Amino acid sequence: MTQNGESPTPTRRAAIPDFRPVVESAPREPAAQETVLLPVHDLPNAGSQGPPHDRSQAILEATKQVAALLKRGDHLFALAGSVAAYAHGAGARLRHDVDFCVRREDTEAVTRTLTEAGLTVRTPPEDWLMKTTCLGQEVDIIFELAHRPVTTETLGRAEELAVDSVHMPVLAPTDLMRGLIEAFSEHYCDFGSALAVARALREKVHWEDVRRDCGDEPMPAAFFFLLERLNVIEPPKEER
């Protein structure tokens, strides 16, 4: 309150291309489907590790923010992981992080774009990804999918989809499913989450391509057998 009893006039930050905050002369409401992008420094909980009140929405907000930065940097990329499955229509449980795919040769430019926007990019011991944090959510920048390098062809197959009203390239269903299944091993074998995605995307996946690429590895073979017994997919043509 001011000394004369009047309430101060509120102001708010506006969305501008270079992500620097300004104050508008008069508040306005965003138009329908408008994405309001604030500087990462000024976003609530940016860099915070604490759990958000709505984890799923926080993950989606982080996804939109990082995708907007990658698009404005004119980088070749695709959304992956559980958020990509969600974008394709699989009611997948959003996990604790966001995954984006880029080519290894683009990592330096991507790092520069994210750093200039106020995000801290970290290099973990694993040599196939980088990490950052946005809106309190972990974001993985991946350049290998189950030990397969992310290529121009992989990213070229990505589909432009709306993720919570923001359009971005999303890993194609076949590539997404292949990455999930090829990751199975004796050390990691979470059939539950992959099964839900397989059920939801079964009409969109080229299963013969996935079978061929996964070869005869025991854990992927066991998962295919489970999908067949549950009538999610049909057996290979030569076995019918």
Side-chain angles (χ1 to χ4, degrees), residues 11-24:
T11 59
R12 69 179 184 87
R13 300 191 186 281
I16 56 175
D18 61 2
F19 289 85
R20 290 176 297 181
V22 298
V23 178
E24 291 185 87

Side-chain angles (χ1 to χ4, degrees), residues 101-206:
C101 293
V102 302
R103 300 175 302 182
R104 185 180 289 272
E105 59 265 33
D106 296 333
T107 55
E108 184 176 344
V110 168
T111 297
R112 185 165 53 250
T113 292
L114 298 180
T115 301
E116 289 174 353
L119 298 178
T120 300
V121 178
R122 310 182 300 278
T123 303
E126 299 86 353
D127 62 355
W128 48 271
L129 82 164
M130 305 181 301
K131 289 179 174 288
T132 188
T133 303
C134 182
L135 295 173
Q137 307 307 306
E138 289 296 314
V139 179
D140 290 349
I141 309 297
I142 299 169
F143 23 96
E144 284 188 11
L145 289 168
H147 308 295
R148 289 179 181 266
V150 175
T151 64
T152 304
E153 291 73 24
T154 302
L155 299 178
R157 290 191 295 268
E159 300 178 11
E160 193 80 9
L161 298 176
V163 180
D164 199 31
S165 81
V166 174
H167 285 79
M168 65 187 73
V170 180
L171 209 61
T174 299
D175 291 317
L176 177 62
M177 203 71 239
R178 181 191 295 112
L180 290 175
I181 296 175
E182 282 190 321
F184 292 149
S185 69
E186 62 272 21
H187 303 294
Y188 171 80
C189 195
D190 183 7
F191 282 2
S193 59
L195 177 60
V197 177
R199 284 184 184 275
L201 303 185
R202 59 184 176 181
E203 300 297 333
K204 301 179 180 181
V205 173
H206 297 292

Side-chain angles (χ1 to χ4, degrees), residues 31-86:
Q33 301 299 316
E34 178 183 0
T35 303
V36 179
L37 297 173
L38 295 176
V40 175
H41 302 85
D42 296 339
L43 288 168
N45 297 323
S48 170
Q49 296 294 336
H53 296 296
D54 185 340
R55 173 55 58 86
S56 293
Q57 190 58 43
I59 289 174
L60 291 175
E61 292 299 328
T63 300
K64 295 189 293 183
Q65 184 70 25
V66 174
L69 292 173
L70 295 175
K71 288 198 297 183
R72 291 183 180 222
D74 200 26
H75 299 295
L76 189 62
F77 73 97
L79 179 66
S82 62
V83 188
Y86 168 85

Side-chain angles (χ1 to χ4, degrees), residues 77-98:
F77 73 97
L79 179 66
S82 62
V83 188
Y86 168 85
H88 280 296
R93 175 174 60 88
L94 299 184
R95 297 179 178 273
H96 65 283
D97 58 10
V98 182

